[in-house]
Amino acid sequence: MPAYQLTVNGRSRTIDADAGTPLLWVLRDTLGLTGTKFGCGQGVCGACTVHVDGQAVRSCQTSLKEAAGHAVLTVEGLSRDGSHPVQKAWIAEDVAQCGYCQPGMIMSAAALLKRKAHPTDHDIDEAFADHICRCGTYPRIRKAVKRAAGGVK
Ligand code: FES
Ligand code: FES
């Protein structure tokens, strides 16, 4: 079995696992980064969203082989102390309810604001169209994204 190399939260990691192993399992089970959540396992809920080379991707639908050689960022790597503008806005707007979907939401928000500093309502709706929150936190998510707008480098 070949070993795969990838960078996770700025640290180079070597992973011994099958090529097709979902990145989600590598993050959670191999590396212990349990902030990234398993929801549907089918690419439709967004709970497992991480960044690969700055793009929001579903880690349940990304294989280890696809992630190899790339830079992966999880919610644990956004900041050391919760000081990322999206994290601060999430707290200020009291977005989370049960919290399960929120790491994925936060990673999508961070990716959106990186590519568009001041997103419109339409941009926000598009970015979160494939995210499911069973607690219905969507209105607070929209407010938090707007609060964080302009603050993500
Ligand atoms: S767990 Fe990956 S999209 Fe739902
Ligand atoms: S906060 Fe509970 S599922 Fe979104």
Side-chain angles (χ1 to χ4, degrees):
M1 190 162 57
Y4 293 91
Q5 214 137 26
L6 58 161
T7 304
V8 180
N9 298 338
R11 190 169 156 199
S12 178
R13 310 299 299 243
T14 302
I15 309 292
D16 265 314
D18 286 339
T21 306
L23 177 60
L24 176 60
W25 300 141
V26 172
L27 295 172
R28 289 183 57 85
D29 296 348
T30 310
L31 300 178
L33 295 167
T34 53
T36 306
K37 303 301 183 201
F38 170 65
C40 63
Q42 298 179 352
V44 296
C45 78
C48 67
T49 302
V50 298
H51 296 184
V52 174
D53 294 340
Q55 304 286 320
V57 304
R58 305 296 196 239
S59 61
C60 73
Q61 301 297 302
T62 305
S63 69
L64 171 59
K65 190 175 176 186
E66 288 168 330
H70 296 279
V72 177
L73 185 73
T74 72
V75 71
E76 291 92 342
L78 262 191
S79 70
R80 283 177 181 276
D81 52 2
S83 62
H84 186 281
V86 170
Q87 291 171 313
K88 283 164 67 176
W90 245 244
I91 291 166
E93 295 294 346
D94 209 4
V95 175
Q97 195 161 316
C98 82
Y100 197 84
C101 72
Q102 297 297 327
M105 299 289 192
I106 286 171
M107 295 311 285
S108 271
L112 168 64
L113 291 170
K114 206 165 184 176
R115 69 172 189 275
K116 196 150 195 184
H118 295 281
T120 63
D121 284 349
H122 178 71
D123 296 328
I124 296 171
D125 288 348
E126 249 184 17
F128 291 94
D130 293 334
H131 280 270
I132 294 171
C133 174
R134 65 189 169 184
C135 301
T137 62
Y138 306 105
R140 295 201 295 278
I141 286 172
R142 182 179 284 201
K143 282 168 81 175
V145 169
K146 289 187 169 174
R147 181 185 277 265
V152 176
K153 304 287 179 245

